[in-house]
């Protein structure tokens, strides 16, 4: 799963290079569209902590977080079911 390379805690994103843009996209598009369709409204910057919690809650017991060289925007979660 690909996701924004951000923290779930706003204060930990203050030095994030694309932080202001990601939070703007979140409020004006991603979060509002999700809420408009009865979704959770997590937005663009739900962050690593929330992503890991949600993957664990969905039954993925093993989750590795990977980065791709040169990709400053995303992290990638490799999740497997089971323990």
């Amino acid at each position: 799963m690909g996701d924004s390379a951000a923290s779930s805690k706003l204060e930990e994103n203050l030095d994030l290079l694309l932080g202001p843009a990601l939070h703007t996209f979140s409020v004006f598009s991603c979060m509002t569209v999700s809420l408009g369709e009865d979704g959770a409204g997590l937005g663009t910057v739900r962050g690593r902590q929330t992503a890991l919690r949600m993957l664990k809650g969905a039954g993925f017991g093993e989750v590795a977080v990977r980065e791709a060289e040169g990709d400053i925007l995303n992290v990638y979660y490799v999740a497997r079911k089971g323990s």
Side-chain angles (χ1 to χ4, degrees):
M1 175 180 85
D3 202 9
S4 299
S7 173
S8 299
K9 300 176 183 178
L10 175 63
E11 64 273 14
E12 292 179 3
N13 293 327
L14 294 177
D15 293 328
L16 191 62
L17 181 62
L18 297 173
L22 291 173
H23 283 280
T24 300
F25 300 152
S26 185
V27 172
F28 288 108
S29 181
C30 302
M31 188 173 62
T32 52
V33 169
S34 176
L35 289 171
E37 296 184 11
D38 296 323
L42 297 173
T44 308
V45 194
R46 70 172 165 181
R48 184 177 298 214
Q49 297 89 332
T50 300
L52 290 170
R53 187 181 78 249
M54 292 178 79
L55 286 166
K56 185 174 233 175
F60 292 97
E62 184 182 330
V63 180
V65 182
R66 302 281 188 249
E67 297 178 7
E69 187 176 338
D71 186 350
I72 63 169
L73 182 61
N74 301 297
V75 292
Y76 300 90
Y77 299 89
V78 181
R80 299 179 192 276
K81 287 277 190 176
S83 59

